[in-house]
Amino acid sequence: MIEEILPNLYKIEVPLPQSPLQAINSYVIKAQGQSLIIDTGQNREECMSVMSSGLKELDVDLKRADFFITHLHADHLGLVSTLATDTSTVYFNQADAAIINSVGHWEEVSNFARINGFPGDELQRAIKNHPGRKYSIRGHVDFHISKEGDTISIGDYLFKCIETPGHTKGHICLYEPSKKLFISGDHVLNDITPNISLWSDKENPLSEYLESLDKVYNFEVELVLPGHRGTFKNFKERIQELKHHHQTRVNEVISILEKGSQDAFKVASQMTWDVTYEFWELFPSAQKWFAFGEAVAHLKYLEEKGKIQREMRGRKVVFSLK
Ligand SMILES: [Zn+2]
């Protein structure tokens, strides 16, 4: 479960039961003073036991450990409320912290899903079982807010915070220029495609995501440490592939709308998804949920580009080609 990647830099693979993501990578940098733990796992026993035995094996004392959390998703943030001690600094970003601390977030999200066609009964199931609800932090965590250009010095490493909105509004990557090392969170993954989802009309995450890919494209990077699956070296090539992937998805959404105007849930049901279920009807609610979020993100992107338009039909939003 533990792999030494560079001197004093280790990866702990923390399992995510029932998740198609399989596991999340927590990176641990050991130093004389405070050590740094980057992303933590979900707030559940299966993650906690692997993290605590991993940290023990690495001889990291939680009283002398700080945390950096790339973004708000429970697999990255959730366990920090259990692991952090009163001598820990928890670096996190403002936009994601605002969502975590907001009251009524889930209600807003479910209203948004409903008017975009997500069926009521499944909606309740999806929200009830949502890992972001079940396995997020418990209680209050005092975040130290990080922003673009901030640096975190730890042993031989000097990391720069790079804001990369898209996967979430406040997502931050860490870049170590002298070592050409990029800790990418869920911004750039190699074996799977980061989920880009929209849960509010006020945003356009796909547009932000594509900009954030361009933003880091020219960074000198020899090794990428992603939030999920294996480390990789082909940074530029992978960014091009991800951009191409979303262009293909955008084209797919257009061809679905050529059949006539429809709501986002219906569009999602006709897109191709890399899952083991043969039909949309067989998707578990959670999978439909993520697929739906991704479909809306692509619809919003096309709308802002002026390619499609929306109208209210009864209490639902439907989209059509312009
Ligand atoms: Zn994520």
PDB file of all heavy atoms in Angstrom, residues 237-273:
ATOM      1  N   GLU A 237       0.819  15.381 -23.166  1.00  0.00           N
ATOM      2  CA  GLU A 237       0.040  14.478 -24.019  1.00  0.00           C
ATOM      3  C   GLU A 237      -1.316  14.179 -23.359  1.00  0.00           C
ATOM      4  O   GLU A 237      -2.352  14.165 -24.017  1.00  0.00           O
ATOM      5  CB  GLU A 237       0.858  13.200 -24.172  1.00  0.00           C
ATOM      6  CG  GLU A 237       0.400  12.265 -25.245  1.00  0.00           C
ATOM      7  CD  GLU A 237       1.212  10.966 -25.145  1.00  0.00           C
ATOM      8  OE1 GLU A 237       2.426  11.033 -24.840  1.00  0.00           O
ATOM      9  OE2 GLU A 237       0.598   9.900 -25.344  1.00  0.00           O
ATOM     10  N   ARG A 238      -1.289  13.964 -22.054  1.00  0.00           N
ATOM     11  CA  ARG A 238      -2.529  13.645 -21.338  1.00  0.00           C
ATOM     12  C   ARG A 238      -3.489  14.845 -21.337  1.00  0.00           C
ATOM     13  O   ARG A 238      -4.704  14.661 -21.470  1.00  0.00           O
ATOM     14  CB  ARG A 238      -2.197  13.222 -19.895  1.00  0.00           C
ATOM     15  CG  ARG A 238      -3.391  12.745 -19.110  1.00  0.00           C
ATOM     16  CD  ARG A 238      -4.125  11.604 -19.805  1.00  0.00           C
ATOM     17  NE  ARG A 238      -5.365  11.256 -19.112  1.00  0.00           N
ATOM     18  CZ  ARG A 238      -6.410  10.688 -19.681  1.00  0.00           C
ATOM     19  NH1 ARG A 238      -6.380  10.356 -20.968  1.00  0.00           N
ATOM     20  NH2 ARG A 238      -7.494  10.406 -18.987  1.00  0.00           N
ATOM     21  N   ILE A 239      -2.942  16.039 -21.212  1.00  0.00           N
ATOM     22  CA  ILE A 239      -3.801  17.235 -21.262  1.00  0.00           C
ATOM     23  C   ILE A 239      -4.481  17.325 -22.637  1.00  0.00           C
ATOM     24  O   ILE A 239      -5.678  17.598 -22.733  1.00  0.00           O
ATOM     25  CB  ILE A 239      -2.981  18.514 -20.971  1.00  0.00           C
ATOM     26  CG1 ILE A 239      -2.608  18.536 -19.482  1.00  0.00           C
ATOM     27  CG2 ILE A 239      -3.757  19.776 -21.341  1.00  0.00           C
ATOM     28  CD1 ILE A 239      -1.719  19.682 -19.057  1.00  0.00           C
ATOM     29  N   GLN A 240      -3.718  17.050 -23.677  1.00  0.00           N
ATOM     30  CA  GLN A 240      -4.320  17.086 -25.021  1.00  0.00           C
ATOM     31  C   GLN A 240      -5.423  16.043 -25.148  1.00  0.00           C
ATOM     32  O   GLN A 240      -6.480  16.305 -25.727  1.00  0.00           O
ATOM     33  CB  GLN A 240      -3.244  16.864 -26.089  1.00  0.00           C
ATOM     34  CG  GLN A 240      -2.418  18.113 -26.323  1.00  0.00           C
ATOM     35  CD  GLN A 240      -1.169  17.856 -27.138  1.00  0.00           C
ATOM     36  OE1 GLN A 240      -0.796  16.696 -27.361  1.00  0.00           O
ATOM     37  NE2 GLN A 240      -0.524  18.916 -27.566  1.00  0.00           N
ATOM     38  N   GLU A 241      -5.175  14.862 -24.601  1.00  0.00           N
ATOM     39  CA  GLU A 241      -6.200  13.805 -24.655  1.00  0.00           C
ATOM     40  C   GLU A 241      -7.473  14.228 -23.927  1.00  0.00           C
ATOM     41  O   GLU A 241      -8.581  13.980 -24.381  1.00  0.00           O
ATOM     42  CB  GLU A 241      -5.681  12.513 -24.003  1.00  0.00           C
ATOM     43  CG  GLU A 241      -4.727  11.721 -24.867  1.00  0.00           C
ATOM     44  CD  GLU A 241      -4.082  10.558 -24.092  1.00  0.00           C
ATOM     45  OE1 GLU A 241      -4.479  10.272 -22.930  1.00  0.00           O
ATOM     46  OE2 GLU A 241      -3.168   9.956 -24.670  1.00  0.00           O
ATOM     47  N   LEU A 242      -7.306  14.863 -22.760  1.00  0.00           N
ATOM     48  CA  LEU A 242      -8.473  15.284 -21.977  1.00  0.00           C
ATOM     49  C   LEU A 242      -9.267  16.350 -22.726  1.00  0.00           C
ATOM     50  O   LEU A 242     -10.504  16.334 -22.730  1.00  0.00           O
ATOM     51  CB  LEU A 242      -8.036  15.799 -20.598  1.00  0.00           C
ATOM     52  CG  LEU A 242      -7.524  14.707 -19.648  1.00  0.00           C
ATOM     53  CD1 LEU A 242      -6.852  15.333 -18.416  1.00  0.00           C
ATOM     54  CD2 LEU A 242      -8.657  13.784 -19.202  1.00  0.00           C
ATOM     55  N   LYS A 243      -8.565  17.265 -23.366  1.00  0.00           N
ATOM     56  CA  LYS A 243      -9.263  18.294 -24.150  1.00  0.00           C
ATOM     57  C   LYS A 243     -10.023  17.647 -25.307  1.00  0.00           C
ATOM     58  O   LYS A 243     -11.168  17.998 -25.599  1.00  0.00           O
ATOM     59  CB  LYS A 243      -8.261  19.335 -24.667  1.00  0.00           C
ATOM     60  CG  LYS A 243      -7.738  20.229 -23.550  1.00  0.00           C
ATOM     61  CD  LYS A 243      -6.736  21.237 -24.041  1.00  0.00           C
ATOM     62  CE  LYS A 243      -7.397  22.325 -24.874  1.00  0.00           C
ATOM     63  NZ  LYS A 243      -6.471  23.443 -25.153  1.00  0.00           N
ATOM     64  N   HIS A 244      -9.377  16.708 -25.936  1.00  0.00           N
ATOM     65  CA  HIS A 244     -10.008  15.995 -27.038  1.00  0.00           C
ATOM     66  C   HIS A 244     -11.248  15.225 -26.554  1.00  0.00           C
ATOM     67  O   HIS A 244     -12.296  15.234 -27.208  1.00  0.00           O
ATOM     68  CB  HIS A 244      -8.983  15.040 -27.666  1.00  0.00           C
ATOM     69  CG  HIS A 244      -9.536  14.242 -28.794  1.00  0.00           C
ATOM     70  ND1 HIS A 244      -9.773  14.784 -30.040  1.00  0.00           N
ATOM     71  CD2 HIS A 244      -9.941  12.953 -28.860  1.00  0.00           C
ATOM     72  CE1 HIS A 244     -10.292  13.858 -30.825  1.00  0.00           C
ATOM     73  NE2 HIS A 244     -10.410  12.740 -30.142  1.00  0.00           N
ATOM     74  N   HIS A 245     -11.123  14.602 -25.405  1.00  0.00           N
ATOM     75  CA  HIS A 245     -12.241  13.855 -24.813  1.00  0.00           C
ATOM     76  C   HIS A 245     -13.469  14.754 -24.658  1.00  0.00           C
ATOM     77  O   HIS A 245     -14.586  14.367 -25.017  1.00  0.00           O
ATOM     78  CB  HIS A 245     -11.825  13.289 -23.451  1.00  0.00           C
ATOM     79  CG  HIS A 245     -12.963  12.813 -22.603  1.00  0.00           C
ATOM     80  ND1 HIS A 245     -13.524  11.557 -22.751  1.00  0.00           N
ATOM     81  CD2 HIS A 245     -13.677  13.437 -21.630  1.00  0.00           C
ATOM     82  CE1 HIS A 245     -14.529  11.439 -21.883  1.00  0.00           C
ATOM     83  NE2 HIS A 245     -14.637  12.560 -21.191  1.00  0.00           N
ATOM     84  N   HIS A 246     -13.264  15.953 -24.132  1.00  0.00           N
ATOM     85  CA  HIS A 246     -14.422  16.830 -23.909  1.00  0.00           C
ATOM     86  C   HIS A 246     -14.988  17.368 -25.217  1.00  0.00           C
ATOM     87  O   HIS A 246     -16.191  17.569 -25.337  1.00  0.00           O
ATOM     88  CB  HIS A 246     -14.063  17.951 -22.923  1.00  0.00           C
ATOM     89  CG  HIS A 246     -13.940  17.427 -21.528  1.00  0.00           C
ATOM     90  ND1 HIS A 246     -15.030  16.994 -20.803  1.00  0.00           N
ATOM     91  CD2 HIS A 246     -12.865  17.185 -20.748  1.00  0.00           C
ATOM     92  CE1 HIS A 246     -14.623  16.539 -19.634  1.00  0.00           C
ATOM     93  NE2 HIS A 246     -13.319  16.639 -19.574  1.00  0.00           N
ATOM     94  N   GLN A 247     -14.117  17.565 -26.213  1.00  0.00           N
ATOM     95  CA  GLN A 247     -14.637  17.977 -27.517  1.00  0.00           C
ATOM     96  C   GLN A 247     -15.535  16.876 -28.085  1.00  0.00           C
ATOM     97  O   GLN A 247     -16.613  17.150 -28.621  1.00  0.00           O
ATOM     98  CB  GLN A 247     -13.457  18.280 -28.469  1.00  0.00           C
ATOM     99  CG  GLN A 247     -13.852  19.050 -29.708  1.00  0.00           C
ATOM    100  CD  GLN A 247     -14.729  20.271 -29.396  1.00  0.00           C
ATOM    101  OE1 GLN A 247     -14.370  21.124 -28.587  1.00  0.00           O
ATOM    102  NE2 GLN A 247     -15.912  20.351 -30.005  1.00  0.00           N
ATOM    103  N   THR A 248     -15.102  15.626 -27.939  1.00  0.00           N
ATOM    104  CA  THR A 248     -15.912  14.487 -28.414  1.00  0.00           C
ATOM    105  C   THR A 248     -17.257  14.458 -27.688  1.00  0.00           C
ATOM    106  O   THR A 248     -18.305  14.220 -28.296  1.00  0.00           O
ATOM    107  CB  THR A 248     -15.149  13.164 -28.145  1.00  0.00           C
ATOM    108  OG1 THR A 248     -13.840  13.297 -28.689  1.00  0.00           O
ATOM    109  CG2 THR A 248     -15.852  11.982 -28.774  1.00  0.00           C
ATOM    110  N   ARG A 249     -17.211  14.701 -26.380  1.00  0.00           N
ATOM    111  CA  ARG A 249     -18.451  14.704 -25.576  1.00  0.00           C
ATOM    112  C   ARG A 249     -19.396  15.819 -26.014  1.00  0.00           C
ATOM    113  O   ARG A 249     -20.608  15.632 -26.100  1.00  0.00           O
ATOM    114  CB  ARG A 249     -18.119  14.905 -24.092  1.00  0.00           C
ATOM    115  CG  ARG A 249     -17.297  13.812 -23.513  1.00  0.00           C
ATOM    116  CD  ARG A 249     -17.981  12.515 -23.609  1.00  0.00           C
ATOM    117  NE  ARG A 249     -18.482  12.076 -22.318  1.00  0.00           N
ATOM    118  CZ  ARG A 249     -19.306  11.048 -22.184  1.00  0.00           C
ATOM    119  NH1 ARG A 249     -19.752  10.413 -23.241  1.00  0.00           N
ATOM    120  NH2 ARG A 249     -19.699  10.681 -20.999  1.00  0.00           N
ATOM    121  N   VAL A 250     -18.822  16.992 -26.254  1.00  0.00           N
ATOM    122  CA  VAL A 250     -19.616  18.130 -26.711  1.00  0.00           C
ATOM    123  C   VAL A 250     -20.309  17.764 -28.031  1.00  0.00           C
ATOM    124  O   VAL A 250     -21.505  18.002 -28.218  1.00  0.00           O
ATOM    125  CB  VAL A 250     -18.684  19.369 -26.865  1.00  0.00           C
ATOM    126  CG1 VAL A 250     -19.303  20.403 -27.777  1.00  0.00           C
ATOM    127  CG2 VAL A 250     -18.390  19.985 -25.497  1.00  0.00           C
ATOM    128  N   ASN A 251     -19.558  17.153 -28.944  1.00  0.00           N
ATOM    129  CA  ASN A 251     -20.139  16.750 -30.229  1.00  0.00           C
ATOM    130  C   ASN A 251     -21.234  15.705 -30.030  1.00  0.00           C
ATOM    131  O   ASN A 251     -22.253  15.712 -30.730  1.00  0.00           O
ATOM    132  CB  ASN A 251     -19.056  16.182 -31.162  1.00  0.00           C
ATOM    133  CG  ASN A 251     -18.059  17.257 -31.548  1.00  0.00           C
ATOM    134  OD1 ASN A 251     -18.352  18.454 -31.446  1.00  0.00           O
ATOM    135  ND2 ASN A 251     -16.877  16.842 -31.966  1.00  0.00           N
ATOM    136  N   GLU A 252     -21.029  14.821 -29.074  1.00  0.00           N
ATOM    137  CA  GLU A 252     -22.022  13.790 -28.793  1.00  0.00           C
ATOM    138  C   GLU A 252     -23.332  14.429 -28.307  1.00  0.00           C
ATOM    139  O   GLU A 252     -24.425  14.052 -28.743  1.00  0.00           O
ATOM    140  CB  GLU A 252     -21.488  12.810 -27.743  1.00  0.00           C
ATOM    141  CG  GLU A 252     -22.383  11.610 -27.531  1.00  0.00           C
ATOM    142  CD  GLU A 252     -21.844  10.649 -26.469  1.00  0.00           C
ATOM    143  OE1 GLU A 252     -21.040  11.069 -25.622  1.00  0.00           O
ATOM    144  OE2 GLU A 252     -22.253   9.477 -26.506  1.00  0.00           O
ATOM    145  N   VAL A 253     -23.199  15.414 -27.425  1.00  0.00           N
ATOM    146  CA  VAL A 253     -24.390  16.102 -26.905  1.00  0.00           C
ATOM    147  C   VAL A 253     -25.135  16.795 -28.048  1.00  0.00           C
ATOM    148  O   VAL A 253     -26.361  16.736 -28.137  1.00  0.00           O
ATOM    149  CB  VAL A 253     -23.990  17.101 -25.789  1.00  0.00           C
ATOM    150  CG1 VAL A 253     -25.146  18.023 -25.438  1.00  0.00           C
ATOM    151  CG2 VAL A 253     -23.523  16.350 -24.550  1.00  0.00           C
ATOM    152  N   ILE A 254     -24.389  17.415 -28.960  1.00  0.00           N
ATOM    153  CA  ILE A 254     -25.043  18.071 -30.101  1.00  0.00           C
ATOM    154  C   ILE A 254     -25.813  17.040 -30.930  1.00  0.00           C
ATOM    155  O   ILE A 254     -26.971  17.262 -31.298  1.00  0.00           O
ATOM    156  CB  ILE A 254     -24.000  18.813 -30.982  1.00  0.00           C
ATOM    157  CG1 ILE A 254     -23.483  20.037 -30.209  1.00  0.00           C
ATOM    158  CG2 ILE A 254     -24.607  19.231 -32.322  1.00  0.00           C
ATOM    159  CD1 ILE A 254     -22.411  20.829 -30.905  1.00  0.00           C
ATOM    160  N   SER A 255     -25.201  15.888 -31.179  1.00  0.00           N
ATOM    161  CA  SER A 255     -25.890  14.897 -32.011  1.00  0.00           C
ATOM    162  C   SER A 255     -27.122  14.334 -31.291  1.00  0.00           C
ATOM    163  O   SER A 255     -28.106  13.980 -31.929  1.00  0.00           O
ATOM    164  CB  SER A 255     -24.936  13.803 -32.489  1.00  0.00           C
ATOM    165  OG  SER A 255     -24.576  13.004 -31.396  1.00  0.00           O
ATOM    166  N   ILE A 256     -27.092  14.287 -29.965  1.00  0.00           N
ATOM    167  CA  ILE A 256     -28.278  13.841 -29.212  1.00  0.00           C
ATOM    168  C   ILE A 256     -29.395  14.887 -29.337  1.00  0.00           C
ATOM    169  O   ILE A 256     -30.564  14.545 -29.545  1.00  0.00           O
ATOM    170  CB  ILE A 256     -27.905  13.578 -27.734  1.00  0.00           C
ATOM    171  CG1 ILE A 256     -27.018  12.324 -27.638  1.00  0.00           C
ATOM    172  CG2 ILE A 256     -29.165  13.408 -26.869  1.00  0.00           C
ATOM    173  CD1 ILE A 256     -26.375  12.097 -26.280  1.00  0.00           C
ATOM    174  N   LEU A 257     -29.027  16.160 -29.283  1.00  0.00           N
ATOM    175  CA  LEU A 257     -30.046  17.215 -29.390  1.00  0.00           C
ATOM    176  C   LEU A 257     -30.587  17.352 -30.811  1.00  0.00           C
ATOM    177  O   LEU A 257     -31.649  17.944 -31.015  1.00  0.00           O
ATOM    178  CB  LEU A 257     -29.477  18.557 -28.905  1.00  0.00           C
ATOM    179  CG  LEU A 257     -29.277  18.694 -27.393  1.00  0.00           C
ATOM    180  CD1 LEU A 257     -28.692  20.058 -27.054  1.00  0.00           C
ATOM    181  CD2 LEU A 257     -30.588  18.491 -26.628  1.00  0.00           C
ATOM    182  N   GLU A 258     -29.869  16.789 -31.779  1.00  0.00           N
ATOM    183  CA  GLU A 258     -30.401  16.798 -33.150  1.00  0.00           C
ATOM    184  C   GLU A 258     -31.692  16.011 -33.258  1.00  0.00           C
ATOM    185  O   GLU A 258     -32.510  16.217 -34.139  1.00  0.00           O
ATOM    186  CB  GLU A 258     -29.354  16.249 -34.134  1.00  0.00           C
ATOM    187  CG  GLU A 258     -28.382  17.335 -34.583  1.00  0.00           C
ATOM    188  CD  GLU A 258     -27.144  16.797 -35.290  1.00  0.00           C
ATOM    189  OE1 GLU A 258     -27.040  15.560 -35.497  1.00  0.00           O
ATOM    190  OE2 GLU A 258     -26.273  17.635 -35.605  1.00  0.00           O
ATOM    191  N   LYS A 259     -31.902  15.091 -32.283  1.00  0.00           N
ATOM    192  CA  LYS A 259     -33.140  14.295 -32.285  1.00  0.00           C
ATOM    193  C   LYS A 259     -34.321  15.091 -31.746  1.00  0.00           C
ATOM    194  O   LYS A 259     -35.451  14.626 -31.769  1.00  0.00           O
ATOM    195  CB  LYS A 259     -32.954  13.047 -31.426  1.00  0.00           C
ATOM    196  CG  LYS A 259     -31.902  12.105 -31.942  1.00  0.00           C
ATOM    197  CD  LYS A 259     -31.774  10.907 -30.991  1.00  0.00           C
ATOM    198  CE  LYS A 259     -30.378  10.337 -31.008  1.00  0.00           C
ATOM    199  NZ  LYS A 259     -30.082   9.527 -29.831  1.00  0.00           N
ATOM    200  N   GLY A 260     -34.067  16.257 -31.180  1.00  0.00           N
ATOM    201  CA  GLY A 260     -35.163  17.077 -30.660  1.00  0.00           C
ATOM    202  C   GLY A 260     -34.842  17.638 -29.294  1.00  0.00           C
ATOM    203  O   GLY A 260     -33.887  17.188 -28.639  1.00  0.00           O
ATOM    204  N   SER A 261     -35.643  18.600 -28.841  1.00  0.00           N
ATOM    205  CA  SER A 261     -35.357  19.234 -27.555  1.00  0.00           C
ATOM    206  C   SER A 261     -35.656  18.264 -26.416  1.00  0.00           C
ATOM    207  O   SER A 261     -36.578  17.451 -26.501  1.00  0.00           O
ATOM    208  CB  SER A 261     -36.167  20.519 -27.410  1.00  0.00           C
ATOM    209  OG  SER A 261     -37.539  20.226 -27.541  1.00  0.00           O
ATOM    210  N   GLN A 262     -34.878  18.349 -25.352  1.00  0.00           N
ATOM    211  CA  GLN A 262     -35.017  17.413 -24.228  1.00  0.00           C
ATOM    212  C   GLN A 262     -34.303  17.937 -22.982  1.00  0.00           C
ATOM    213  O   GLN A 262     -33.489  18.848 -23.073  1.00  0.00           O
ATOM    214  CB  GLN A 262     -34.474  16.040 -24.613  1.00  0.00           C
ATOM    215  CG  GLN A 262     -33.106  16.070 -25.248  1.00  0.00           C
ATOM    216  CD  GLN A 262     -32.751  14.760 -25.932  1.00  0.00           C
ATOM    217  OE1 GLN A 262     -32.691  13.733 -25.285  1.00  0.00           O
ATOM    218  NE2 GLN A 262     -32.487  14.804 -27.231  1.00  0.00           N
ATOM    219  N   ASP A 263     -34.638  17.322 -21.846  1.00  0.00           N
ATOM    220  CA  ASP A 263     -33.994  17.767 -20.612  1.00  0.00           C
ATOM    221  C   ASP A 263     -32.636  17.075 -20.428  1.00  0.00           C
ATOM    222  O   ASP A 263     -32.300  16.127 -21.141  1.00  0.00           O
ATOM    223  CB  ASP A 263     -34.917  17.562 -19.395  1.00  0.00           C
ATOM    224  CG  ASP A 263     -35.241  16.103 -19.127  1.00  0.00           C
ATOM    225  OD1 ASP A 263     -34.313  15.270 -19.131  1.00  0.00           O
ATOM    226  OD2 ASP A 263     -36.431  15.790 -18.911  1.00  0.00           O
ATOM    227  N   ALA A 264     -31.886  17.579 -19.455  1.00  0.00           N
ATOM    228  CA  ALA A 264     -30.509  17.117 -19.251  1.00  0.00           C
ATOM    229  C   ALA A 264     -30.447  15.642 -18.851  1.00  0.00           C
ATOM    230  O   ALA A 264     -29.538  14.910 -19.262  1.00  0.00           O
ATOM    231  CB  ALA A 264     -29.831  17.971 -18.179  1.00  0.00           C
ATOM    232  N   PHE A 265     -31.410  15.190 -18.066  1.00  0.00           N
ATOM    233  CA  PHE A 265     -31.404  13.792 -17.636  1.00  0.00           C
ATOM    234  C   PHE A 265     -31.541  12.866 -18.843  1.00  0.00           C
ATOM    235  O   PHE A 265     -30.851  11.857 -18.953  1.00  0.00           O
ATOM    236  CB  PHE A 265     -32.553  13.551 -16.643  1.00  0.00           C
ATOM    237  CG  PHE A 265     -32.517  12.193 -16.006  1.00  0.00           C
ATOM    238  CD1 PHE A 265     -31.668  11.934 -14.942  1.00  0.00           C
ATOM    239  CD2 PHE A 265     -33.336  11.171 -16.471  1.00  0.00           C
ATOM    240  CE1 PHE A 265     -31.625  10.680 -14.347  1.00  0.00           C
ATOM    241  CE2 PHE A 265     -33.302   9.915 -15.887  1.00  0.00           C
ATOM    242  CZ  PHE A 265     -32.444   9.670 -14.817  1.00  0.00           C
ATOM    243  N   LYS A 266     -32.405  13.255 -19.758  1.00  0.00           N
ATOM    244  CA  LYS A 266     -32.600  12.445 -20.972  1.00  0.00           C
ATOM    245  C   LYS A 266     -31.333  12.454 -21.836  1.00  0.00           C
ATOM    246  O   LYS A 266     -30.950  11.429 -22.413  1.00  0.00           O
ATOM    247  CB  LYS A 266     -33.810  13.004 -21.733  1.00  0.00           C
ATOM    248  CG  LYS A 266     -34.208  12.215 -22.931  1.00  0.00           C
ATOM    249  CD  LYS A 266     -35.711  11.922 -22.972  1.00  0.00           C
ATOM    250  CE  LYS A 266     -36.043  10.966 -24.094  1.00  0.00           C
ATOM    251  NZ  LYS A 266     -36.711  11.636 -25.225  1.00  0.00           N
ATOM    252  N   VAL A 267     -30.690  13.604 -21.911  1.00  0.00           N
ATOM    253  CA  VAL A 267     -29.430  13.676 -22.661  1.00  0.00           C
ATOM    254  C   VAL A 267     -28.411  12.724 -22.025  1.00  0.00           C
ATOM    255  O   VAL A 267     -27.766  11.925 -22.711  1.00  0.00           O
ATOM    256  CB  VAL A 267     -28.876  15.133 -22.683  1.00  0.00           C
ATOM    257  CG1 VAL A 267     -27.468  15.162 -23.264  1.00  0.00           C
ATOM    258  CG2 VAL A 267     -29.804  16.049 -23.486  1.00  0.00           C
ATOM    259  N   ALA A 268     -28.301  12.772 -20.706  1.00  0.00           N
ATOM    260  CA  ALA A 268     -27.340  11.909 -19.993  1.00  0.00           C
ATOM    261  C   ALA A 268     -27.590  10.442 -20.307  1.00  0.00           C
ATOM    262  O   ALA A 268     -26.647   9.661 -20.501  1.00  0.00           O
ATOM    263  CB  ALA A 268     -27.437  12.151 -18.488  1.00  0.00           C
ATOM    264  N   SER A 269     -28.866  10.059 -20.396  1.00  0.00           N
ATOM    265  CA  SER A 269     -29.205   8.645 -20.598  1.00  0.00           C
ATOM    266  C   SER A 269     -28.768   8.137 -21.968  1.00  0.00           C
ATOM    267  O   SER A 269     -28.678   6.935 -22.188  1.00  0.00           O
ATOM    268  CB  SER A 269     -30.714   8.429 -20.416  1.00  0.00           C
ATOM    269  OG  SER A 269     -31.412   8.937 -21.535  1.00  0.00           O
ATOM    270  N   GLN A 270     -28.485   9.059 -22.893  1.00  0.00           N
ATOM    271  CA  GLN A 270     -28.089   8.631 -24.246  1.00  0.00           C
ATOM    272  C   GLN A 270     -26.606   8.793 -24.525  1.00  0.00           C
ATOM    273  O   GLN A 270     -26.116   8.413 -25.584  1.00  0.00           O
ATOM    274  CB  GLN A 270     -28.870   9.447 -25.282  1.00  0.00           C
ATOM    275  CG  GLN A 270     -30.368   9.203 -25.209  1.00  0.00           C
ATOM    276  CD  GLN A 270     -31.123  10.312 -25.922  1.00  0.00           C
ATOM    277  OE1 GLN A 270     -31.229  10.303 -27.131  1.00  0.00           O
ATOM    278  NE2 GLN A 270     -31.593  11.288 -25.160  1.00  0.00           N
ATOM    279  N   MET A 271     -25.874   9.404 -23.582  1.00  0.00           N
ATOM    280  CA  MET A 271     -24.428   9.560 -23.795  1.00  0.00           C
ATOM    281  C   MET A 271     -23.744   8.213 -23.518  1.00  0.00           C
ATOM    282  O   MET A 271     -24.313   7.346 -22.866  1.00  0.00           O
ATOM    283  CB  MET A 271     -23.873  10.650 -22.864  1.00  0.00           C
ATOM    284  CG  MET A 271     -24.357  12.044 -23.234  1.00  0.00           C
ATOM    285  SD  MET A 271     -23.950  13.309 -21.994  1.00  0.00           S
ATOM    286  CE  MET A 271     -22.180  13.552 -22.242  1.00  0.00           C
ATOM    287  N   THR A 272     -22.525   8.062 -24.032  1.00  0.00           N
ATOM    288  CA  THR A 272     -21.804   6.813 -23.764  1.00  0.00           C
ATOM    289  C   THR A 272     -21.022   6.950 -22.464  1.00  0.00           C
ATOM    290  O   THR A 272     -20.342   7.958 -22.249  1.00  0.00           O
ATOM    291  CB  THR A 272     -20.814   6.479 -24.902  1.00  0.00           C
ATOM    292  OG1 THR A 272     -20.256   7.693 -25.382  1.00  0.00           O
ATOM    293  CG2 THR A 272     -21.485   5.745 -26.022  1.00  0.00           C
ATOM    294  N   TRP A 273     -21.135   5.963 -21.615  1.00  0.00           N
ATOM    295  CA  TRP A 273     -20.468   5.992 -20.315  1.00  0.00           C
ATOM    296  C   TRP A 273     -19.589   4.770 -20.171  1.00  0.00           C
ATOM    297  O   TRP A 273     -19.995   3.674 -20.538  1.00  0.00           O
ATOM    298  CB  TRP A 273     -21.503   6.043 -19.181  1.00  0.00           C
ATOM    299  CG  TRP A 273     -22.380   7.235 -19.283  1.00  0.00           C
ATOM    300  CD1 TRP A 273     -23.682   7.257 -19.693  1.00  0.00           C
ATOM    301  CD2 TRP A 273     -22.016   8.602 -19.031  1.00  0.00           C
ATOM    302  NE1 TRP A 273     -24.151   8.555 -19.697  1.00  0.00           N
ATOM    303  CE2 TRP A 273     -23.155   9.403 -19.290  1.00  0.00           C
ATOM    304  CE3 TRP A 273     -20.850   9.234 -18.607  1.00  0.00           C
ATOM    305  CZ2 TRP A 273     -23.153  10.786 -19.145  1.00  0.00           C
ATOM    306  CZ3 TRP A 273     -20.850  10.611 -18.458  1.00  0.00           C
ATOM    307  CH2 TRP A 273     -21.994  11.378 -18.722  1.00  0.00           C
TER     308      TRP A 273
END
